[in-house]
Amino acid sequence: MNRGLERGRFAASPLGLPFAPLADFAVGDYAIVVNATPCAGHDGKFSFDVRGLARGAIVADLVVGAAPTPLVRAAEALGHTVIDGREVLLVEARRQFRLMTGRLMAAESAREFLDGHGNEPADEAAERRQATA
C-alpha cells in the first residue's frame, strides 16, 4: 500500500510484492501493518480503520516524536503489539553507529540521549505499553 499509485508500484516491484492502492487496502488481511507515512492520526484521521486490524496484528509506526502517536495509542488500546518510531530509531542509530565506528553503542546510552531531548523516557513508554497489554 502507498499513498500514490506510481510510488506504490515502484516500491513493491523490486521486492516482488503485490501493490494495493490505499482505496483497496483491507487492514484486516495483514498480520503486520507498517505506517511509514506522516499520517499517524495527529489530525484525528488515520490511513486505515484501526478497529479493522486483524486479531493479534502487530502495528509498526515509523513516525518519531516526543510521545507516542495517536496511531500507537489507538492500536495499544485495542490490545495490539506496537513498535513505535522511537524504538525503530534506537535500533537504526545503534546499527549506524556500529557501521561508522566499528564499535557497539550501548542501548542505555542511546535511550538516555533520546530521553534527554524532551522525549518520553523509553522505559516509561515500555511500561505504558506493558500496562495496556
Side-chain angles (χ1 to χ4, degrees):
M1 174 186 81
N2 198 296
R3 290 180 293 160
L5 294 175
E6 185 177 325
R7 287 176 42 185
R9 287 188 180 107
F10 177 78
S13 180
L15 300 172
L17 297 173
F19 169 70
L22 184 55
D24 298 340
F25 178 63
V27 70
D29 292 345
Y30 299 90
I32 300 172
V33 177
V34 179
N35 176 46
T37 74
C39 305
H42 292 291
D43 59 359
K45 299 177 185 172
F46 298 105
S47 298
F48 56 88
D49 184 350
V50 180
R51 295 168 300 174
L53 286 163
R55 186 171 173 217
I58 297 169
V59 176
D61 187 7
L62 303 184
V63 176
V64 178
T69 65
L71 173 58
V72 166
R73 290 188 190 273
E76 284 178 335
L78 293 170
H80 294 281
T81 299
V82 176
I83 302 166
D84 77 7
R86 291 187 64 232
E87 293 176 52
V88 174
L89 177 62
L90 284 171
V91 170
E92 290 177 349
R94 292 181 67 219
R95 286 185 179 165
Q96 197 67 327
F97 182 85
R98 183 176 46 84
L99 288 171
M100 292 181 352
T101 68
R103 299 186 334 228
L104 296 177
M105 174 191 286
E108 288 177 20
S109 298
R111 280 190 175 86
E112 287 174 10
F113 180 78
L114 275 180
D115 295 346
H117 287 81
N119 295 307
E120 176 183 8
D123 291 340
E124 286 180 25
E127 286 175 17
R128 180 182 42 73
R129 278 191 292 283
Q130 294 240 340
T132 60

